Amino acid sequence: MSIAIGAIGGLGLFLYGMQMMGAGLQKAAGKKLERIIEILTTNRFMGVFVGMLVTGIIQSSSATTVMVVGFVNAGIMNLTQAVGVIMGANIGTTITGQIVSMSIEDIAPISIGVGMVIWMTTKKDSRKTLAEILIGLGILFLGMEFLKDALKPLRELESFNTMILSLSHHPLLGVLVGFALTFIVQSSSASIGMLIALASQGVLPLAAALPILYGDNIGTCTTALLSSIGASKNARRAAIIHLAFNAVGTLLFVIVLSGPIAKLVTMWDPSDVGRQIANAHTVFNLANVVIQFPFAFFLVKVAMWLVPDKAEDHADEKITRFIDDRILETPTIAIKSAINEAINMGNLAKDSLSFAMDGFFEGQIDKVKKTFELEKNINTLETVITEFLVKLSNRDILDTDRRYIDGLFNNINDIERIGDHADNIAELILSVNEKNIVFTEKSKSALLIMYNKTKMTYELALKVLDKPDQAMINQVMALEKELDTLEREARHDHFTRLNNNECSTENGVYYLEIVNNLERISDLSCNLVRVVSETVEVA
């Protein structure tokens, strides 16, 4: 019982330290990690690199793969790109094993001590992030030491030694043990850490460790498989690709390549079994990627066969394009996804305005009516993005990112109101059409000028939301002032026409309402960039 309690405590510290260090590394990566989404849209070659990088930062291949399922479900990534990221994640996860296999436990107290001093003596986000990394690293090594000490008595247990010996002779049994172990702790890095801890106490030879190591790689697939339940077909296919890739690699190495790996890592480090296990884990994942990468399209075909399209199926109708709760696993990337989704919502509002006004000038009422369809989607997006941002704000994030998220709440509210004003304009135009009201050419000309300026102002505001730029912010502010002047001139000219009996009172009511809604859209565009300038570091 004391062995079990000590092992659970050590494993808990190990997992907590790994999570804390990963969170710190992710914050430190900051804007660089945000650019991952842009890289993901290239090809599977870059995908391997991205998978390695992200997993090395967040210290969890399971989290990376779950995020991949989220990207595929959101439509950001296709299956070919997903294959590369999944392969790269398997390489990235070997970093933790390499770290814990090194005999540098003595730095644990120093790392924790230095980290705590930095944490307590600074208010700067960057230094607190460094402290978080140091404390997490120290706790990770501390947990590893607890684990080793707890497992030390196993050397004296004959039954345990007999069981380990049987694993050496029955590799498939070892694979099942590795699968079960990773399934339970939901972390292949923790499983590898336990193998290294056992090896350091002289109770686990390399021959018994290798099959367990291979099984770990299958067990880590369960997280993504569970996450894909209820997701789109392509998301389920991405999870199956992960399973197929690791299962094929495990079979290949158990049957053919286990011997060569054992010889290679033993030659590199003849005396330290812990280092042999860490090196075997790295070699296995690297070799697996090299061998299977040229045949990635077969993995896609297998996934397509297992989750086929049916004739009666229709394409998934998704309003969202960039956000998915699975992406919350990596808050920095989730923030960028939320920004992209807000811009997607903003473009719908822009289209809504265009349909209303272009339909008016072209005399196409069917085009005007499309505004009402878009308005429903805009309202739905506002709800979905808000819920996503609430979940994101509850994550462990930097104060600067929290301010940015607060700003996004305001941004999507303003965009929704812009959609409302476009909807108002469409309603007014329908009423104008139904009552056969005719605007004078001067009135229509003034509306056209004002509409073009409003549209330009709003388009610039959306660009600022995507890439904050002071020059564009100033341009939006200047355009908004011009629109205020145009609005006053439109009112003055209308009253002049009214006094000269050039138009009716009823015409004027509708005309001024359209003018007022256009001016309000320019005001809200100005609000968008003002919020950005207050919450983001502007270039």
Side-chain angles (χ1 to χ4, degrees), residues 474-506:
N474 294 340
Q475 195 174 352
V476 170
M477 299 289 189
L479 282 169
E480 199 276 330
K481 289 180 181 178
E482 287 183 35
L483 278 157
D484 286 344
T485 302
L486 285 173
E487 192 252 355
R488 287 193 296 271
E489 290 175 353
R491 287 181 179 279
H492 178 269
D493 292 345
H494 164 67
F495 290 125
T496 300
R497 287 190 294 273
L498 197 61
N499 291 330
N500 295 333
N501 295 317
E502 294 177 13
C503 67
S504 68
T505 303
E506 189 176 29

PDB file of all heavy atoms in Angstrom, residues 474-506:
ATOM      1  N   ASN A 474      -5.950  55.635 -37.183  1.00  0.00           N
ATOM      2  CA  ASN A 474      -6.107  57.079 -37.437  1.00  0.00           C
ATOM      3  C   ASN A 474      -6.992  57.332 -38.657  1.00  0.00           C
ATOM      4  O   ASN A 474      -7.790  58.279 -38.680  1.00  0.00           O
ATOM      5  CB  ASN A 474      -4.733  57.715 -37.652  1.00  0.00           C
ATOM      6  CG  ASN A 474      -3.876  57.670 -36.391  1.00  0.00           C
ATOM      7  OD1 ASN A 474      -4.394  57.516 -35.290  1.00  0.00           O
ATOM      8  ND2 ASN A 474      -2.567  57.793 -36.553  1.00  0.00           N
ATOM      9  N   GLN A 475      -6.834  56.471 -39.663  1.00  0.00           N
ATOM     10  CA  GLN A 475      -7.635  56.626 -40.884  1.00  0.00           C
ATOM     11  C   GLN A 475      -9.120  56.394 -40.599  1.00  0.00           C
ATOM     12  O   GLN A 475      -9.979  57.110 -41.124  1.00  0.00           O
ATOM     13  CB  GLN A 475      -7.137  55.630 -41.939  1.00  0.00           C
ATOM     14  CG  GLN A 475      -7.628  55.937 -43.340  1.00  0.00           C
ATOM     15  CD  GLN A 475      -6.991  55.028 -44.382  1.00  0.00           C
ATOM     16  OE1 GLN A 475      -6.065  54.262 -44.090  1.00  0.00           O
ATOM     17  NE2 GLN A 475      -7.488  55.087 -45.605  1.00  0.00           N
ATOM     18  N   VAL A 476      -9.415  55.379 -39.766  1.00  0.00           N
ATOM     19  CA  VAL A 476     -10.808  55.105 -39.395  1.00  0.00           C
ATOM     20  C   VAL A 476     -11.396  56.301 -38.650  1.00  0.00           C
ATOM     21  O   VAL A 476     -12.532  56.737 -38.920  1.00  0.00           O
ATOM     22  CB  VAL A 476     -10.918  53.828 -38.526  1.00  0.00           C
ATOM     23  CG1 VAL A 476     -12.324  53.683 -37.934  1.00  0.00           C
ATOM     24  CG2 VAL A 476     -10.577  52.591 -39.347  1.00  0.00           C
ATOM     25  N   MET A 477     -10.626  56.848 -37.715  1.00  0.00           N
ATOM     26  CA  MET A 477     -11.092  58.015 -36.941  1.00  0.00           C
ATOM     27  C   MET A 477     -11.379  59.203 -37.866  1.00  0.00           C
ATOM     28  O   MET A 477     -12.385  59.911 -37.699  1.00  0.00           O
ATOM     29  CB  MET A 477     -10.038  58.414 -35.903  1.00  0.00           C
ATOM     30  CG  MET A 477      -9.703  57.350 -34.877  1.00  0.00           C
ATOM     31  SD  MET A 477     -11.035  57.088 -33.698  1.00  0.00           S
ATOM     32  CE  MET A 477     -10.215  56.021 -32.498  1.00  0.00           C
ATOM     33  N   ALA A 478     -10.495  59.403 -38.847  1.00  0.00           N
ATOM     34  CA  ALA A 478     -10.666  60.530 -39.774  1.00  0.00           C
ATOM     35  C   ALA A 478     -11.907  60.327 -40.654  1.00  0.00           C
ATOM     36  O   ALA A 478     -12.682  61.263 -40.892  1.00  0.00           O
ATOM     37  CB  ALA A 478      -9.423  60.671 -40.650  1.00  0.00           C
ATOM     38  N   LEU A 479     -12.100  59.085 -41.123  1.00  0.00           N
ATOM     39  CA  LEU A 479     -13.258  58.782 -41.956  1.00  0.00           C
ATOM     40  C   LEU A 479     -14.563  58.966 -41.177  1.00  0.00           C
ATOM     41  O   LEU A 479     -15.569  59.434 -41.721  1.00  0.00           O
ATOM     42  CB  LEU A 479     -13.168  57.349 -42.495  1.00  0.00           C
ATOM     43  CG  LEU A 479     -12.225  57.125 -43.680  1.00  0.00           C
ATOM     44  CD1 LEU A 479     -12.030  55.628 -43.927  1.00  0.00           C
ATOM     45  CD2 LEU A 479     -12.769  57.794 -44.940  1.00  0.00           C
ATOM     46  N   GLU A 480     -14.529  58.610 -39.900  1.00  0.00           N
ATOM     47  CA  GLU A 480     -15.731  58.752 -39.074  1.00  0.00           C
ATOM     48  C   GLU A 480     -16.120  60.220 -38.938  1.00  0.00           C
ATOM     49  O   GLU A 480     -17.310  60.573 -38.972  1.00  0.00           O
ATOM     50  CB  GLU A 480     -15.481  58.116 -37.695  1.00  0.00           C
ATOM     51  CG  GLU A 480     -16.741  57.793 -36.912  1.00  0.00           C
ATOM     52  CD  GLU A 480     -17.274  58.985 -36.143  1.00  0.00           C
ATOM     53  OE1 GLU A 480     -16.455  59.828 -35.739  1.00  0.00           O
ATOM     54  OE2 GLU A 480     -18.508  59.071 -35.949  1.00  0.00           O
ATOM     55  N   LYS A 481     -15.124  61.095 -38.822  1.00  0.00           N
ATOM     56  CA  LYS A 481     -15.408  62.542 -38.760  1.00  0.00           C
ATOM     57  C   LYS A 481     -15.998  63.033 -40.083  1.00  0.00           C
ATOM     58  O   LYS A 481     -16.905  63.869 -40.091  1.00  0.00           O
ATOM     59  CB  LYS A 481     -14.128  63.308 -38.430  1.00  0.00           C
ATOM     60  CG  LYS A 481     -13.657  63.111 -36.993  1.00  0.00           C
ATOM     61  CD  LYS A 481     -12.381  63.889 -36.720  1.00  0.00           C
ATOM     62  CE  LYS A 481     -11.911  63.662 -35.277  1.00  0.00           C
ATOM     63  NZ  LYS A 481     -10.634  64.374 -34.995  1.00  0.00           N
ATOM     64  N   GLU A 482     -15.466  62.510 -41.192  1.00  0.00           N
ATOM     65  CA  GLU A 482     -16.020  62.878 -42.500  1.00  0.00           C
ATOM     66  C   GLU A 482     -17.480  62.467 -42.602  1.00  0.00           C
ATOM     67  O   GLU A 482     -18.318  63.199 -43.152  1.00  0.00           O
ATOM     68  CB  GLU A 482     -15.218  62.189 -43.620  1.00  0.00           C
ATOM     69  CG  GLU A 482     -13.841  62.778 -43.859  1.00  0.00           C
ATOM     70  CD  GLU A 482     -13.133  62.091 -45.020  1.00  0.00           C
ATOM     71  OE1 GLU A 482     -13.829  61.712 -45.989  1.00  0.00           O
ATOM     72  OE2 GLU A 482     -11.904  61.923 -44.956  1.00  0.00           O
ATOM     73  N   LEU A 483     -17.782  61.273 -42.062  1.00  0.00           N
ATOM     74  CA  LEU A 483     -19.155  60.778 -42.118  1.00  0.00           C
ATOM     75  C   LEU A 483     -20.090  61.606 -41.251  1.00  0.00           C
ATOM     76  O   LEU A 483     -21.262  61.809 -41.596  1.00  0.00           O
ATOM     77  CB  LEU A 483     -19.196  59.304 -41.707  1.00  0.00           C
ATOM     78  CG  LEU A 483     -18.836  58.355 -42.860  1.00  0.00           C
ATOM     79  CD1 LEU A 483     -18.334  57.020 -42.343  1.00  0.00           C
ATOM     80  CD2 LEU A 483     -20.045  58.147 -43.776  1.00  0.00           C
ATOM     81  N   ASP A 484     -19.579  62.094 -40.129  1.00  0.00           N
ATOM     82  CA  ASP A 484     -20.400  63.004 -39.304  1.00  0.00           C
ATOM     83  C   ASP A 484     -20.764  64.253 -40.103  1.00  0.00           C
ATOM     84  O   ASP A 484     -21.908  64.743 -40.050  1.00  0.00           O
ATOM     85  CB  ASP A 484     -19.635  63.405 -38.033  1.00  0.00           C
ATOM     86  CG  ASP A 484     -19.579  62.278 -37.010  1.00  0.00           C
ATOM     87  OD1 ASP A 484     -20.372  61.323 -37.132  1.00  0.00           O
ATOM     88  OD2 ASP A 484     -18.727  62.351 -36.094  1.00  0.00           O
ATOM     89  N   THR A 485     -19.780  64.761 -40.839  1.00  0.00           N
ATOM     90  CA  THR A 485     -20.025  65.948 -41.680  1.00  0.00           C
ATOM     91  C   THR A 485     -21.019  65.629 -42.791  1.00  0.00           C
ATOM     92  O   THR A 485     -21.952  66.413 -43.064  1.00  0.00           O
ATOM     93  CB  THR A 485     -18.689  66.434 -42.297  1.00  0.00           C
ATOM     94  OG1 THR A 485     -17.771  66.731 -41.253  1.00  0.00           O
ATOM     95  CG2 THR A 485     -18.920  67.668 -43.165  1.00  0.00           C
ATOM     96  N   LEU A 486     -20.850  64.468 -43.448  1.00  0.00           N
ATOM     97  CA  LEU A 486     -21.771  64.060 -44.515  1.00  0.00           C
ATOM     98  C   LEU A 486     -23.195  63.906 -43.993  1.00  0.00           C
ATOM     99  O   LEU A 486     -24.166  64.254 -44.680  1.00  0.00           O
ATOM    100  CB  LEU A 486     -21.303  62.732 -45.135  1.00  0.00           C
ATOM    101  CG  LEU A 486     -20.094  62.799 -46.070  1.00  0.00           C
ATOM    102  CD1 LEU A 486     -19.650  61.387 -46.470  1.00  0.00           C
ATOM    103  CD2 LEU A 486     -20.428  63.622 -47.322  1.00  0.00           C
ATOM    104  N   GLU A 487     -23.309  63.379 -42.766  1.00  0.00           N
ATOM    105  CA  GLU A 487     -24.631  63.188 -42.165  1.00  0.00           C
ATOM    106  C   GLU A 487     -25.316  64.537 -41.945  1.00  0.00           C
ATOM    107  O   GLU A 487     -26.508  64.707 -42.239  1.00  0.00           O
ATOM    108  CB  GLU A 487     -24.497  62.417 -40.851  1.00  0.00           C
ATOM    109  CG  GLU A 487     -25.817  61.904 -40.287  1.00  0.00           C
ATOM    110  CD  GLU A 487     -26.253  62.662 -39.054  1.00  0.00           C
ATOM    111  OE1 GLU A 487     -25.473  63.530 -38.585  1.00  0.00           O
ATOM    112  OE2 GLU A 487     -27.362  62.427 -38.565  1.00  0.00           O
ATOM    113  N   ARG A 488     -24.562  65.511 -41.431  1.00  0.00           N
ATOM    114  CA  ARG A 488     -25.128  66.856 -41.207  1.00  0.00           C
ATOM    115  C   ARG A 488     -25.521  67.497 -42.546  1.00  0.00           C
ATOM    116  O   ARG A 488     -26.587  68.131 -42.660  1.00  0.00           O
ATOM    117  CB  ARG A 488     -24.119  67.736 -40.470  1.00  0.00           C
ATOM    118  CG  ARG A 488     -23.942  67.365 -38.994  1.00  0.00           C
ATOM    119  CD  ARG A 488     -23.182  68.461 -38.253  1.00  0.00           C
ATOM    120  NE  ARG A 488     -21.829  68.627 -38.748  1.00  0.00           N
ATOM    121  CZ  ARG A 488     -20.773  67.964 -38.290  1.00  0.00           C
ATOM    122  NH1 ARG A 488     -20.929  67.051 -37.317  1.00  0.00           N
ATOM    123  NH2 ARG A 488     -19.569  68.178 -38.774  1.00  0.00           N
ATOM    124  N   GLU A 489     -24.663  67.326 -43.557  1.00  0.00           N
ATOM    125  CA  GLU A 489     -24.964  67.892 -44.876  1.00  0.00           C
ATOM    126  C   GLU A 489     -26.189  67.224 -45.486  1.00  0.00           C
ATOM    127  O   GLU A 489     -27.019  67.897 -46.125  1.00  0.00           O
ATOM    128  CB  GLU A 489     -23.755  67.716 -45.807  1.00  0.00           C
ATOM    129  CG  GLU A 489     -22.570  68.598 -45.441  1.00  0.00           C
ATOM    130  CD  GLU A 489     -21.357  68.314 -46.312  1.00  0.00           C
ATOM    131  OE1 GLU A 489     -21.407  67.346 -47.110  1.00  0.00           O
ATOM    132  OE2 GLU A 489     -20.353  69.055 -46.201  1.00  0.00           O
ATOM    133  N   ALA A 490     -26.316  65.912 -45.290  1.00  0.00           N
ATOM    134  CA  ALA A 490     -27.465  65.180 -45.836  1.00  0.00           C
ATOM    135  C   ALA A 490     -28.761  65.701 -45.217  1.00  0.00           C
ATOM    136  O   ALA A 490     -29.770  65.890 -45.913  1.00  0.00           O
ATOM    137  CB  ALA A 490     -27.311  63.683 -45.585  1.00  0.00           C
ATOM    138  N   ARG A 491     -28.731  65.943 -43.907  1.00  0.00           N
ATOM    139  CA  ARG A 491     -29.919  66.468 -43.220  1.00  0.00           C
ATOM    140  C   ARG A 491     -30.263  67.888 -43.728  1.00  0.00           C
ATOM    141  O   ARG A 491     -31.425  68.207 -44.004  1.00  0.00           O
ATOM    142  CB  ARG A 491     -29.690  66.499 -41.710  1.00  0.00           C
ATOM    143  CG  ARG A 491     -29.723  65.121 -41.066  1.00  0.00           C
ATOM    144  CD  ARG A 491     -29.517  65.203 -39.556  1.00  0.00           C
ATOM    145  NE  ARG A 491     -29.576  63.873 -38.974  1.00  0.00           N
ATOM    146  CZ  ARG A 491     -30.702  63.224 -38.679  1.00  0.00           C
ATOM    147  NH1 ARG A 491     -31.879  63.808 -38.913  1.00  0.00           N
ATOM    148  NH2 ARG A 491     -30.684  62.024 -38.168  1.00  0.00           N
ATOM    149  N   HIS A 492     -29.214  68.706 -43.849  1.00  0.00           N
ATOM    150  CA  HIS A 492     -29.412  70.092 -44.297  1.00  0.00           C
ATOM    151  C   HIS A 492     -29.983  70.125 -45.713  1.00  0.00           C
ATOM    152  O   HIS A 492     -30.952  70.854 -46.011  1.00  0.00           O
ATOM    153  CB  HIS A 492     -28.085  70.850 -44.239  1.00  0.00           C
ATOM    154  CG  HIS A 492     -28.180  72.269 -44.735  1.00  0.00           C
ATOM    155  ND1 HIS A 492     -27.940  72.592 -46.067  1.00  0.00           N
ATOM    156  CD2 HIS A 492     -28.513  73.440 -44.110  1.00  0.00           C
ATOM    157  CE1 HIS A 492     -28.108  73.890 -46.228  1.00  0.00           C
ATOM    158  NE2 HIS A 492     -28.449  74.423 -45.056  1.00  0.00           N
ATOM    159  N   ASP A 493     -29.394  69.307 -46.605  1.00  0.00           N
ATOM    160  CA  ASP A 493     -29.853  69.281 -47.999  1.00  0.00           C
ATOM    161  C   ASP A 493     -31.290  68.775 -48.091  1.00  0.00           C
ATOM    162  O   ASP A 493     -32.082  69.244 -48.925  1.00  0.00           O
ATOM    163  CB  ASP A 493     -28.936  68.394 -48.845  1.00  0.00           C
ATOM    164  CG  ASP A 493     -27.549  68.997 -49.013  1.00  0.00           C
ATOM    165  OD1 ASP A 493     -27.396  70.189 -48.720  1.00  0.00           O
ATOM    166  OD2 ASP A 493     -26.635  68.264 -49.420  1.00  0.00           O
ATOM    167  N   HIS A 494     -31.608  67.788 -47.221  1.00  0.00           N
ATOM    168  CA  HIS A 494     -32.974  67.245 -47.236  1.00  0.00           C
ATOM    169  C   HIS A 494     -33.991  68.325 -46.852  1.00  0.00           C
ATOM    170  O   HIS A 494     -35.031  68.470 -47.520  1.00  0.00           O
ATOM    171  CB  HIS A 494     -33.092  66.063 -46.283  1.00  0.00           C
ATOM    172  CG  HIS A 494     -34.521  65.718 -45.957  1.00  0.00           C
ATOM    173  ND1 HIS A 494     -35.408  65.220 -46.893  1.00  0.00           N
ATOM    174  CD2 HIS A 494     -35.237  65.875 -44.800  1.00  0.00           C
ATOM    175  CE1 HIS A 494     -36.591  65.054 -46.333  1.00  0.00           C
ATOM    176  NE2 HIS A 494     -36.522  65.438 -45.066  1.00  0.00           N
ATOM    177  N   PHE A 495     -33.687  69.043 -45.781  1.00  0.00           N
ATOM    178  CA  PHE A 495     -34.626  70.077 -45.340  1.00  0.00           C
ATOM    179  C   PHE A 495     -34.761  71.188 -46.400  1.00  0.00           C
ATOM    180  O   PHE A 495     -35.835  71.773 -46.560  1.00  0.00           O
ATOM    181  CB  PHE A 495     -34.207  70.662 -43.995  1.00  0.00           C
ATOM    182  CG  PHE A 495     -34.384  69.699 -42.857  1.00  0.00           C
ATOM    183  CD1 PHE A 495     -33.322  69.387 -42.015  1.00  0.00           C
ATOM    184  CD2 PHE A 495     -35.615  69.082 -42.624  1.00  0.00           C
ATOM    185  CE1 PHE A 495     -33.485  68.495 -40.975  1.00  0.00           C
ATOM    186  CE2 PHE A 495     -35.774  68.183 -41.585  1.00  0.00           C
ATOM    187  CZ  PHE A 495     -34.708  67.878 -40.755  1.00  0.00           C
ATOM    188  N   THR A 496     -33.682  71.451 -47.116  1.00  0.00           N
ATOM    189  CA  THR A 496     -33.745  72.429 -48.212  1.00  0.00           C
ATOM    190  C   THR A 496     -34.703  71.928 -49.290  1.00  0.00           C
ATOM    191  O   THR A 496     -35.538  72.694 -49.799  1.00  0.00           O
ATOM    192  CB  THR A 496     -32.339  72.654 -48.808  1.00  0.00           C
ATOM    193  OG1 THR A 496     -31.466  73.148 -47.785  1.00  0.00           O
ATOM    194  CG2 THR A 496     -32.394  73.639 -49.973  1.00  0.00           C
ATOM    195  N   ARG A 497     -34.568  70.619 -49.654  1.00  0.00           N
ATOM    196  CA  ARG A 497     -35.456  70.043 -50.670  1.00  0.00           C
ATOM    197  C   ARG A 497     -36.904  70.051 -50.190  1.00  0.00           C
ATOM    198  O   ARG A 497     -37.838  70.281 -50.974  1.00  0.00           O
ATOM    199  CB  ARG A 497     -35.021  68.619 -51.011  1.00  0.00           C
ATOM    200  CG  ARG A 497     -33.752  68.528 -51.840  1.00  0.00           C
ATOM    201  CD  ARG A 497     -33.513  67.128 -52.355  1.00  0.00           C
ATOM    202  NE  ARG A 497     -33.247  66.173 -51.284  1.00  0.00           N
ATOM    203  CZ  ARG A 497     -32.057  65.925 -50.764  1.00  0.00           C
ATOM    204  NH1 ARG A 497     -30.993  66.591 -51.232  1.00  0.00           N
ATOM    205  NH2 ARG A 497     -31.909  65.047 -49.798  1.00  0.00           N
ATOM    206  N   LEU A 498     -37.067  69.798 -48.899  1.00  0.00           N
ATOM    207  CA  LEU A 498     -38.416  69.780 -48.327  1.00  0.00           C
ATOM    208  C   LEU A 498     -39.049  71.167 -48.416  1.00  0.00           C
ATOM    209  O   LEU A 498     -40.240  71.300 -48.781  1.00  0.00           O
ATOM    210  CB  LEU A 498     -38.334  69.315 -46.870  1.00  0.00           C
ATOM    211  CG  LEU A 498     -39.625  68.831 -46.198  1.00  0.00           C
ATOM    212  CD1 LEU A 498     -40.203  67.625 -46.922  1.00  0.00           C
ATOM    213  CD2 LEU A 498     -39.345  68.485 -44.738  1.00  0.00           C
ATOM    214  N   ASN A 499     -38.259  72.182 -48.081  1.00  0.00           N
ATOM    215  CA  ASN A 499     -38.779  73.570 -48.150  1.00  0.00           C
ATOM    216  C   ASN A 499     -39.087  73.991 -49.578  1.00  0.00           C
ATOM    217  O   ASN A 499     -39.972  74.834 -49.816  1.00  0.00           O
ATOM    218  CB  ASN A 499     -37.765  74.545 -47.532  1.00  0.00           C
ATOM    219  CG  ASN A 499     -37.658  74.375 -46.028  1.00  0.00           C
ATOM    220  OD1 ASN A 499     -38.638  73.991 -45.374  1.00  0.00           O
ATOM    221  ND2 ASN A 499     -36.495  74.673 -45.465  1.00  0.00           N
ATOM    222  N   ASN A 500     -38.367  73.417 -50.545  1.00  0.00           N
ATOM    223  CA  ASN A 500     -38.579  73.754 -51.957  1.00  0.00           C
ATOM    224  C   ASN A 500     -39.593  72.825 -52.617  1.00  0.00           C
ATOM    225  O   ASN A 500     -39.756  72.865 -53.852  1.00  0.00           O
ATOM    226  CB  ASN A 500     -37.254  73.680 -52.724  1.00  0.00           C
ATOM    227  CG  ASN A 500     -36.262  74.728 -52.258  1.00  0.00           C
ATOM    228  OD1 ASN A 500     -36.663  75.798 -51.751  1.00  0.00           O
ATOM    229  ND2 ASN A 500     -34.974  74.461 -52.442  1.00  0.00           N
ATOM    230  N   ASN A 501     -40.264  72.008 -51.785  1.00  0.00           N
ATOM    231  CA  ASN A 501     -41.272  71.059 -52.279  1.00  0.00           C
ATOM    232  C   ASN A 501     -40.716  70.073 -53.315  1.00  0.00           C
ATOM    233  O   ASN A 501     -41.428  69.648 -54.240  1.00  0.00           O
ATOM    234  CB  ASN A 501     -42.470  71.808 -52.881  1.00  0.00           C
ATOM    235  CG  ASN A 501     -43.223  72.618 -51.836  1.00  0.00           C
ATOM    236  OD1 ASN A 501     -43.462  72.126 -50.728  1.00  0.00           O
ATOM    237  ND2 ASN A 501     -43.582  73.841 -52.189  1.00  0.00           N
ATOM    238  N   GLU A 502     -39.448  69.729 -53.168  1.00  0.00           N
ATOM    239  CA  GLU A 502     -38.833  68.769 -54.089  1.00  0.00           C
ATOM    240  C   GLU A 502     -39.029  67.330 -53.632  1.00  0.00           C
ATOM    241  O   GLU A 502     -38.736  66.390 -54.364  1.00  0.00           O
ATOM    242  CB  GLU A 502     -37.327  69.068 -54.224  1.00  0.00           C
ATOM    243  CG  GLU A 502     -37.041  70.397 -54.879  1.00  0.00           C
ATOM    244  CD  GLU A 502     -35.546  70.709 -54.938  1.00  0.00           C
ATOM    245  OE1 GLU A 502     -34.759  69.768 -54.698  1.00  0.00           O
ATOM    246  OE2 GLU A 502     -35.169  71.863 -55.209  1.00  0.00           O
ATOM    247  N   CYS A 503     -39.471  67.150 -52.378  1.00  0.00           N
ATOM    248  CA  CYS A 503     -39.749  65.801 -51.871  1.00  0.00           C
ATOM    249  C   CYS A 503     -40.825  65.895 -50.803  1.00  0.00           C
ATOM    250  O   CYS A 503     -41.091  66.974 -50.266  1.00  0.00           O
ATOM    251  CB  CYS A 503     -38.494  65.135 -51.328  1.00  0.00           C
ATOM    252  SG  CYS A 503     -37.829  65.919 -49.844  1.00  0.00           S
ATOM    253  N   SER A 504     -41.412  64.744 -50.488  1.00  0.00           N
ATOM    254  CA  SER A 504     -42.489  64.723 -49.490  1.00  0.00           C
ATOM    255  C   SER A 504     -41.921  64.476 -48.091  1.00  0.00           C
ATOM    256  O   SER A 504     -40.776  64.030 -47.922  1.00  0.00           O
ATOM    257  CB  SER A 504     -43.490  63.613 -49.829  1.00  0.00           C
ATOM    258  OG  SER A 504     -42.889  62.344 -49.653  1.00  0.00           O
ATOM    259  N   THR A 505     -42.746  64.719 -47.076  1.00  0.00           N
ATOM    260  CA  THR A 505     -42.341  64.470 -45.684  1.00  0.00           C
ATOM    261  C   THR A 505     -42.058  62.994 -45.468  1.00  0.00           C
ATOM    262  O   THR A 505     -41.096  62.615 -44.784  1.00  0.00           O
ATOM    263  CB  THR A 505     -43.447  64.939 -44.718  1.00  0.00           C
ATOM    264  OG1 THR A 505     -43.720  66.314 -44.963  1.00  0.00           O
ATOM    265  CG2 THR A 505     -43.010  64.751 -43.274  1.00  0.00           C
ATOM    266  N   GLU A 506     -42.900  62.135 -46.055  1.00  0.00           N
ATOM    267  CA  GLU A 506     -42.734  60.698 -45.876  1.00  0.00           C
ATOM    268  C   GLU A 506     -41.412  60.231 -46.478  1.00  0.00           C
ATOM    269  O   GLU A 506     -40.695  59.420 -45.886  1.00  0.00           O
ATOM    270  CB  GLU A 506     -43.903  59.940 -46.519  1.00  0.00           C
ATOM    271  CG  GLU A 506     -43.897  58.451 -46.173  1.00  0.00           C
ATOM    272  CD  GLU A 506     -45.122  57.729 -46.728  1.00  0.00           C
ATOM    273  OE1 GLU A 506     -45.662  58.170 -47.776  1.00  0.00           O
ATOM    274  OE2 GLU A 506     -45.535  56.731 -46.127  1.00  0.00           O
TER     275      GLU A 506
END
